[in-house]
Amino acid sequence: MISNKAKAHLALLSVNIIYGANYLVAKGLMPHKIEPSALVFLRIGGAGILFLILKSFVKEKVDRKDISRLALCGFLGVATNQFFSMNGLSLTSPVDAAIIITAMPIFTVIISYFLLKEPLTLQRILGVTVGGTGAALLIYLGNSGLGTGSLLGNIFVCINALAFAFYLVIVKPLMSKYKPITVIIWTFLFGFIFMFPFCIEKLIHTDFQSFAASNWASLFYVVLGPTFLAYLLNMFALQYVKPTVSSSYIYVQPAVAMILVAVVSYLIVNSQYKGDITFTKLLCCVLIFIGVYLISSSPLSWLKRSKP
């Protein structure tokens, strides 16, 4: 029998493999088959309907005083997050996007310092500096002209990570007060409301008749996988492991994205992704990983382990 904790780790691994693959799958749809904003509409709307079905089995009311916080969570964690994620990915490399998103824990630490007054130790300051340098350098590399990266796309993905970091801090008291499905359905409801005026026009002008079977399969994957299924698996995992353990699996995403891009570049002679994986980008990735490790590990634990 597999323990619940082992199942939780399998769930987290699955979630981040799904996210890692999504960078390439979603990139394949945008912008030639569907505009990123239209894809955002389908992701939020489609997953929202599925969550609503699940919510019908869970009866739980929320206090009126929490509505404004839920609205802010919907704006940051769903509407802004999804809008800049998809629009950024449509403009930049799936490798760049997957690496930049791993800087999210760095943003979370900075935001927690200002909003929650959590202390900034010397080790955390060093981690923010090292990781932030890697992220800033990678964003700048979008101007290099190598591969499919772009400066604007990288900035959009960075805004996506920043918005979700704010969301993680703001949603924290709600997750301890309500069941996860209750928080998710409310955030998706408000996210849909905020997203609607910016995305509906792009959806209306989408030519779905031009979709091949592979395009429909990709669309189904994007809506069901990284939007609906990933949230469910995360909810299951967080019952048995700490949030810090969950966030550590984010490193899987760039690894999966890089492997898939490398495979596509090898199989397709004139692949657009040739040049997306460079030594400099790998160095940026390492800097971000070191930065996140420093801010997430206990003070000086890395020094203690190095002592004989």
Side-chain angles (χ1 to χ4, degrees):
M1 287 288 292
I2 302 177
S3 67
N4 285 329
K5 194 168 185 179
K7 290 178 182 176
H9 282 279
L10 288 173
L12 289 173
L13 180 62
S14 300
V15 165
N16 285 279
I17 289 175
I18 289 171
Y19 277 134
N22 183 59
Y23 292 105
L24 199 62
V25 175
K27 177 77 174 181
L29 286 170
M30 303 180 297
H32 303 295
K33 284 298 179 181
I34 187 170
E35 288 288 333
S37 295
L39 187 56
V40 170
F41 189 104
L42 293 175
R43 286 189 70 175
I44 297 176
I49 292 171
L50 295 174
F51 286 130
L52 189 61
I53 294 172
L54 287 182
K55 182 64 176 68
S56 64
F57 297 99
V58 178
K59 305 300 180 183
E60 185 179 34
K61 292 184 178 180
V62 299
D63 294 337
R64 183 172 294 183
K65 64 179 182 179
D66 291 327
I67 296 297
S68 58
R69 182 178 286 264
L70 285 165
L72 184 58
C73 288
F75 174 73
L76 292 171
V78 178
T80 305
N81 168 44
Q82 294 288 339
F83 183 84
F84 282 100
S85 172
M86 291 296 95
N87 279 276
L89 179 59
S90 72
L91 294 172
T92 195
S93 157
V95 171
D96 287 20
I99 295 175
I100 292 170
I101 207 68
T102 60
M104 193 185 301
I106 297 173
F107 295 140
T108 305
V109 166
I110 297 173
I111 294 165
S112 296
Y113 170 75
F114 287 104
L115 297 186
L116 304 180
K117 307 304 178 184
E118 291 188 1
L120 265 182
T121 62
L122 182 61
Q123 181 176 321
R124 283 191 164 188
I125 293 173
L126 179 62
V128 168
T129 303
V130 174
T133 300
L137 179 58
L138 182 62
I139 291 170
Y140 175 76
L141 284 174
N143 252 355
S144 65
L146 296 173
T148 58
S150 83
L151 178 60
L152 181 60
N154 287 354
I155 291 174
F156 278 7
V157 175
C158 188
I159 293 173
N160 151 47
L162 186 61
F164 202 77
F166 267 108
Y167 163 76
L168 289 176
V169 174
I170 294 169
V171 80
K172 191 174 182 180
L174 296 173
M175 293 300 287
S176 59
K177 186 176 181 179
Y178 302 107
K179 294 177 180 177
I181 187 63
T182 301
V183 176
I184 287 173
I185 192 61
W186 277 97
T187 54
F188 265 77
L189 172 62
F190 282 114
F192 183 85
I193 293 171
F194 287 122
M195 167 276 301
F196 189 90
F198 298 98
C199 300
I200 184 62
E201 183 182 357
K202 297 295 184 181
L203 180 71
I204 292 173
H205 291 97
T206 301
D207 182 14
F208 289 105
Q209 292 184 344
S210 68
F211 273 40
S214 60
N215 300 136
W216 284 110
S218 295
L219 182 60
F220 181 79
Y221 176 88
V222 172
V223 174
L224 186 65
T227 318
F228 174 71
L229 188 59
Y231 269 92
L232 288 183
L233 290 173
N234 258 324
M235 282 193 297
F236 167 77
L238 286 174
Q239 296 177 82
Y240 304 105
V241 298
K242 295 179 181 179
T244 51
V245 175
S246 173
S247 63
S248 68
Y249 274 86
I250 200 170
Y251 298 129
V252 174
Q253 295 185 32
V256 172
M258 285 183 182
I259 291 171
L260 290 177
V261 165
V263 170
V264 169
S265 298
Y266 177 77
L267 295 176
I268 302 176
V269 176
N270 294 317
S271 171
Q272 62 176 322
Y273 300 119
K274 288 188 184 296
D276 274 355
I277 302 176
T278 64
F279 175 77
T280 309
K281 288 185 180 181
L282 291 175
L283 178 61
C284 293
C285 190
V286 170
L287 288 175
I288 295 173
F289 285 4
I290 292 173
V292 173
Y293 174 76
L294 288 173
I295 64 174
S296 60
S297 60
S298 57
L300 300 179
S301 61
W302 52 285
L303 283 177
K304 292 175 183 177
R305 283 195 293 269
S306 65
K307 290 182 179 180

